[in-house]
């Protein structure tokens, strides 16, 4: 929890700096690159979380992996390394992307389903999200077979769980209480 709050603070600071320098879109692209690269690379993630690897090695590795990034993003990496918080880099990137979308007046709706969404279902979800929030949204579909069926919709801080697994769990709780 404390890490999440710190990540939000770092993300807000970088967004403020990028807004002042009119580089929000470029920095957002950097954050998406960082977010995707760290998510796909177990070795990079392990390096960020390792207490054994020195800060100087982490810095040189990150700057080598993310060549050509905006100075604001380099400044973020320097700050995280100085404060010994490199483990927050993926969270800061994700929070920055969310804050950037909010600043633009759009948002990301995460839809977890047992099977991939069809184009028609994506359109229905987008229409429902716009109706509920009044804002445009981009859809991120996560496939998780453990929910059995239905969906889980997450927009900002709001979550709607209409999964079969959730309904079965509610039934189980009802029967064990009585």
């Amino acid at each position: 929890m404390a890490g999440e709050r710190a990540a939000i603070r770092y993300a807000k600071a970088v967004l403020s700096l990028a807004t002042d320098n009119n580089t929000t879109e470029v920095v957002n692209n950097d954050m998406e690159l960082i977010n995707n690269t760290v998510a796909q690379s177990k070795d990079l993630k392990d390096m960020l979380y390792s207490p054994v690897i020195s800060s100087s090695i982490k810095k040189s590795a990150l700057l080598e992996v993310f060549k050509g990034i905006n100075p604001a993003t380099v400044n973020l990496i320097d700050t995280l390394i100085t404060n010994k918080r490199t483990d927050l880099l993926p969270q800061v990137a994700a929070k920055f992307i969310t804050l950037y979308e909010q600043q633009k007046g759009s948002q990301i709706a995460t839809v977890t389903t047992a099977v991939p969404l069809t184009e028609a279902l994506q359109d229905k979800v987008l229409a429902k999200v716009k109706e509920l929030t009044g804002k445009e949204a981009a859809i991120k579909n996560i496939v998780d077979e453990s929910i059995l069926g239905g969906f889980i919709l997450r927009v900002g801080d709001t979550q709607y769980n209409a999964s079969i697994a959730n309904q079965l769990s509610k039934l189980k709780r009802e029967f064990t209480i009585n």
Side-chain angles (χ1 to χ4, degrees), residues 6 43 75-76 86 101-102 139 151 154 174 178:
D43 291 339
N75 191 16
L76 168 67
T86 55
E101 292 295 328
Q102 288 173 350
I139 291 210
F151 64 93
R154 198 172 288 118
E174 278 184 35
N178 295 331

Side-chain angles (χ1 to χ4, degrees), residues 98-113:
T98 303
L99 291 170
Y100 173 75
E101 292 295 328
Q102 288 173 350
Q103 186 182 51
K104 278 185 14 185
S106 66
Q107 55 200 348
I108 298 175
T110 306
V111 182
T112 306
T113 55

Side-chain angles (χ1 to χ4, degrees), residues 28-38 65-66 69:
N28 185 59
N29 293 339
D30 291 348
M31 294 301 166
E32 287 178 352
L33 174 68
I34 290 169
N35 198 23
N36 295 334
T37 306
V38 173
V65 170
F66 302 113
I69 56 177

Side-chain angles (χ1 to χ4, degrees), residues 19-170:
T19 302
D20 291 347
N21 294 331
N22 293 323
T23 57
T24 52
E25 191 170 330
V26 175
V27 175
N28 185 59
N29 293 339
D30 291 348
M31 294 301 166
E32 287 178 352
L33 174 68
I34 290 169
N35 198 23
N36 295 334
T37 306
V38 173
Q40 294 173 2
S41 174
K42 183 182 179 329
D43 291 339
L44 185 58
K45 195 179 300 182
D46 289 345
M47 184 211 50
L48 290 173
Y49 289 102
S50 175
V52 178
I53 299 173
S54 73
S55 296
S56 61
I57 292 173
K58 287 181 183 182
K59 179 178 180 178
S60 63
L62 287 170
L63 294 179
E64 184 66 30
V65 170
F66 302 113
K67 281 184 180 172
I69 56 177
N70 187 280
T73 309
V74 173
N75 191 16
L76 168 67
I77 290 171
D78 286 340
T79 303
L80 291 173
I81 286 172
T82 302
N83 296 338
K84 300 192 183 316
R85 302 299 304 263
T86 55
D87 58 316
L88 290 180
L89 184 61
Q91 285 179 282
V92 173
K95 296 295 179 192
F96 181 93
I97 294 165
T98 303
L99 291 170
Y100 173 75
E101 292 295 328
Q102 288 173 350
Q103 186 182 51
K104 278 185 14 185
S106 66
Q107 55 200 348
I108 298 175
T110 306
V111 182
T112 306
T113 55
V115 294
L117 283 177
T118 63
E119 194 72 31
L121 281 174
Q122 282 188 7
D123 292 342
K124 287 182 181 179
V125 170
L126 285 173
K128 191 64 174 173
V129 168
K130 180 156 178 132
E131 177 187 320
L132 292 172
T133 64
K135 294 181 180 178
E136 292 293 326
I139 291 210
K140 178 181 177 186
N141 184 212
I142 298 171
V143 177
D144 180 2
E145 294 174 2
S146 70
I147 69 168
L148 303 177
F151 64 93
I152 302 170
L153 174 64
R154 198 172 288 118
V155 181
D157 294 339
T158 307
Q159 176 175 308
Y160 179 71
N161 191 339
S163 66
I164 303 294
N166 184 49
Q167 293 171 7
L168 289 172
S169 177
K170 284 180 184 176

